[in-house]
Amino acid sequence: MSKSDHDNQNAATAAVTATAGAPSPGRRRLLTGIGAGAGVLATQWARAADTGNTGHQVTDAPKARPDQSQSYPFFGVRQQGITTPRPASGMVVAFDVLSTDRADLERLFRTLTERIAFLTQGGKAPEVDPKFPPPDSGILGPVIAPDGLTVTVAVGSSLFDDRFGLAPHKPARLSRMPGFPNDALNQQLCHGDLLLQFCAHTPDTNIHALRDIVKNTPDLLELRWKQEGTVPPTPAQTRGETKSARNLLGFHDGSANPDVNDSALMERIVWVQPAGASAGSDGAAPEPAWTANGSYQAVRIIRNFVERWDRTPLQEQESIIGRRKSTGAPFDGHKESDVPDYARDPKGDVTPLDAHIRLANDRSKGAAAHLLLRRPFNYSNGIASNGQLEMGLLFIAFQADLDKGFIAVQTRLNGEPLEEYLKPIGGGYFFVLPGAASRSDYLGRGLLSA
């Protein structure tokens, strides 16, 4: 997929294979004890953990000097990292689940809940006898700052195979991501039983959290692939509109993203509703009851052919995207937040009919049914084998209905002129679990109790 107004490039490499063999029974008891003893430091309980918005939008450019003491509530009926502001560093990591029965799967979800609750709130790293391996990597020091960290847990369609008897409870619209016409998917960078999305002000905080989880789940998870990304921070603005950050094509990425401060809108386009409310008027199957307050997550690693793009005339670049590169404004507007008026431009004399933003959202009455919430990051993975830069967009989007959201939008974008400059190479479809409502709850409880 692509996007500047609805996404833009993505790409990745970094298939990481975890090869930590199963530990001895004694060492496994030690690791389990460490995880249980670390404790959970939660600063606040809330109806939804994914709150903390103070008028900001998900794709606003992050602050140049972030507050490392910042934390978002963990406990709540919804998870963090969806509508919370996007920080400067992001990472998605896909895993294969090694659990062999429901008891082990529950242990995995309980362990993830415990570790994420601690990591996102921060605190003093636990200590043990120095004759044993330290329970914490130490890369953040003896006191772990929350650093705005959010960790979002989602599951893939492969978790609903015959291993755990979960097939009858699979989210109604969850499927394995297929290849679209312009894709060149590397299967080593696709899919997974479980996906963790890490977002923090600094990349070391994400790496610290990943290593903590890997250390505490050696017999439960195996790394499948990962992709890190960044967002360029900007100095604090004292006046004027807050702009979205730019992608590696140089355009603002996040323009026209739905307003996360509009709770009614978020209920409609992002969050799966309680049983019965999610059954569409088109006769689509209703969602299982346990999925309420979850969300579908589409992840795409989209490589950008930046060398080719940089040799393309500015006028052509803007025509392909449908916005001014300098300001992010549509052709019939003056600032990024201006809404293009396609009704007054039916033949595409102002904004070409095949411009990216027009295909992604044609502003028609029915287009509102296909809105999705984007949370993209730029990535750079060194140099490809052909000597070109390996970089692009880590595209992430959330929606209550995967078919009406990402899949419908991507289908409209198939064949767009922007495809000449990008190539999706990885990713997958996942379902974000509802949150852990309290300290006595755990992520995935509703699924396992269904």
Side-chain angles (χ1 to χ4, degrees), residues 158 231 331 358 380:
S158 55
V231 178
F331 294 146
R358 192 160 186 168
S380 180

Side-chain angles (χ1 to χ4, degrees), residues 291-313:
T291 62
N293 296 306
S295 186
Y296 286 93
Q297 182 178 22
V299 177
R300 299 273 280 174
I301 303 172
I302 306 175
R303 183 179 175 187
N304 295 168
F305 302 130
V306 293
E307 293 92 345
R308 183 184 304 170
W309 182 257
D310 291 342
R311 297 184 182 100
T312 300

Side-chain angles (χ1 to χ4, degrees), residues 22 80 82 84 87 117-118 183 192 203 209 218 222 338 344 402 414:
Q80 314 165 315
I82 298 177
T84 40
F118 169 74
D183 290 1
E222 182 177 57
D338 287 341
R344 299 182 63 180
L402 186 61
N414 287 339

